[in-house]
Amino acid sequence: MMERISADVAIIGGGIMGSSAALFLRRTGLSVVLLERDLCGSRSSGVNYGGVRRQGRPPSQLPLSQRAQGLWAQLPQLIGIDGEYLRSGHLKIARSEADLAALESYRERTQGFGMDLQILSARALRERCPWLGRAAVGASLCPDDGQANPRLVSPAFALAARRLGADVREQTCIDEAAHDGTAFVLRSGHALEVRARHLLNCAGAWAGTIAAQFGDAVPMESGHPEMAVTEPLPVFLNFSLGVEGGGVYARQVARGNCVIGGGRGYALDEQRARAQRSGIASLMQQTIDLLPALRNAHIIRTWSGTEGYLPDRQPVLGPSATTPGLIHAFGFAGGGFQLGPAVGAVLADLVRDGQTATPIDAFSVSRFSESPRVATTGPVPSAVV
């Protein structure tokens, strides 16, 4: 017999965006059903690097990122754990004079956002970071950026939402999504039907399928980060590191393990991905150029995952262009972890008030089409969540 439930809001996707939205919506008193195909936080929200940084984002993202920064400071009160969140500082390395000039330009363009960026010359950098290799010629430091453990934080948002009364359904694949003129109707086979006045599309790399179902087609592509972690080592790395222009990023946790990321893995199928041996070798060579202390470190695990990228590297966050009550939040690949709590808060604003004080115009889904298609009904082409 099919179970039929109703709620004010249905959320597809139990990553950090959907889970934090569930938490903030419950704090407003709205009833919430969160539907996750696998386990909450097990996809891109759980396999990312764990950077909690504002530095390096385009200015259009900084108001949202600043709101998130305030929420990260309240993490234990929000989700009941500290998530290994540490304001270690984020050090963005320049490997050339052109890189250093780019960092100085970024500091000028982002003044007023409270990041207090500090440009370090080569000499200042050597004095402060004697463990850096010769590849670094300068850097930009954001002292209050930091890092956290995504494997702890992302599912903790879902657990906190459940404690406040959200109906969190894991291992629940949605294979039909439509609006019947009165409410959104979601079905999971013959087992579950959910009806809701509002629908949040937080399905990560698979959100494009849901968006297209409702006429909001987006050119999203899948990408697969390459990640590695070393054995525990004596603690020496006291910042979260990035590199101007990208390529490699690294941090060291309190247990001594160094988490390293960069490059691209490959897809095993639509849902699974793996790091490449050649990619890890290249990544480690770049890392050793920056961090010679890792020359003989043992890699104890590598991993990848599936992330959804939009061509302008900006997310979609805001109402559907076609369907009242539908709100999208996806395409955050490469930097969504830090934004997650603020995205949830903004989604709750939009459901409750129909607007938010946080600027999100740059993330409108309509930027991909001036003439969105009419929404369709029926089965989701590929079961997404």
Side-chain angles (χ1 to χ4, degrees):
M1 177 180 294
M2 178 176 283
E3 179 185 8
R4 291 182 168 83
I5 57 177
S6 298
D8 294 317
V9 186
I11 303 172
I12 301 179
I16 192 169
M17 309 303 174
S19 297
S20 61
L23 176 62
F24 286 108
L25 285 164
R26 283 302 303 143
R27 288 161 67 104
T28 70
L30 294 169
S31 58
V32 177
V33 177
L34 188 154
L35 304 158
E36 164 57 42
R37 177 181 55 195
D38 300 302
L39 300 176
C40 290
S42 62
R43 295 292 174 169
S44 58
S45 292
V47 302
N48 65 79
Y49 166 69
V52 185
R53 64 163 179 84
R54 296 163 294 167
Q55 180 170 211
R57 295 182 184 278
S60 57
Q61 291 187 14
L62 288 175
L64 185 64
S65 187
Q66 286 292 87
R67 184 170 181 178
Q69 181 78 352
L71 292 170
W72 277 97
Q74 306 169 38
L75 200 64
Q77 293 83 2
L78 283 173
I79 63 174
I81 62 170
D82 67 10
E84 299 180 5
Y85 173 50
L86 180 65
R87 288 195 170 181
S88 58
H90 176 253
L91 191 66
K92 200 169 187 66
I93 300 294
R95 293 180 290 193
S96 68
E97 292 302 322
D99 287 348
L100 193 57
L103 293 176
E104 291 175 338
S105 174
Y106 181 79
R107 182 184 62 170
E108 295 301 314
R109 288 185 288 116
T110 58
Q111 284 185 353
F113 286 101
M115 289 193 287
D116 189 27
L117 296 179
Q118 302 168 16
I119 300 296
L120 303 180
S121 65
R123 180 176 179 179
L125 191 59
R126 301 288 165 218
E127 292 175 353
R128 196 155 182 173
C129 309
W131 33 264
L132 271 172
R134 306 307 300 177
V137 302
S140 172
L141 173 64
C142 188
D144 285 335
D145 281 359
Q147 54 185 290
N149 187 335
R151 290 182 176 273
L152 298 177
V153 172
S154 297
F157 269 98
L159 289 172
R162 176 177 280 164
R163 286 195 294 271
L164 282 185
D167 187 347
V168 178
R169 304 288 182 109
E170 296 181 305
Q171 298 182 316
T172 301
C173 181
I174 295 302
D175 47 22
E176 189 171 343
H179 195 285
D180 68 359
T182 303
F184 291 96
V185 182
L186 311 175
R187 293 191 178 92
S188 180
H190 298 292
L192 177 66
E193 179 184 278
V194 178
R195 296 179 63 84
R197 291 188 294 118
H198 301 274
L199 175 62
L200 306 187
N201 176 16
C202 304
W206 299 270
T209 303
I210 295 292
Q213 175 85 14
F214 290 96
D216 290 322
V218 296
M220 192 155 72
E221 296 182 351
S222 294
H224 313 285
E226 266 180 337
M227 306 295 304
V229 62
T230 71
E231 62 185 326
L233 301 165
V235 175
F236 69 98
L237 181 55
N238 49 351
F239 297 113
S240 177
L241 292 187
V243 172
E244 173 62 17
V248 61
Y249 34 91
R251 63 188 180 93
Q252 189 170 26
V253 304
R255 293 178 296 277
N257 309 82
C258 288
V259 181
I260 302 160
R264 287 288 180 265
Y266 65 97
L268 291 172
D269 53 36
E270 188 185 25
Q271 299 182 24
R272 299 177 301 159
R274 182 171 290 173
Q276 302 188 72
R277 179 180 297 181
S278 60
I280 292 296
S282 174
L283 175 63
M284 290 310 301
Q285 184 56 58
Q286 292 185 69
T287 305
I288 291 168
D289 289 344
L290 287 176
L291 303 172
L294 297 186
R295 182 172 302 279
N296 297 312
H298 287 224
I299 298 295
I300 60 173
R301 187 167 71 90
T302 65
W303 70 94
S304 185
T306 301
E307 299 177 325
Y309 290 84
L310 292 162
D312 58 4
R313 294 298 187 263
Q314 291 273 35
V316 167
L317 175 60
S320 163
T322 65
T323 310
L326 172 63
I327 306 173
H328 301 296
F330 58 83
F332 294 90
F337 184 56
Q338 190 268 350
L339 297 178
V343 171
V346 165
L347 291 170
D349 292 344
L350 294 174
V351 170
R352 183 190 58 197
D353 304 327
Q355 60 185 348
T356 178
T358 303
I360 58 171
D361 288 349
F363 315 134
S364 170
V365 71
S366 63
R367 71 185 189 270
F368 294 110
S369 174
E370 295 181 356
S371 301
R373 293 187 298 106
V374 174
T376 59
T377 60
V380 175
S382 175
V384 293
V385 179

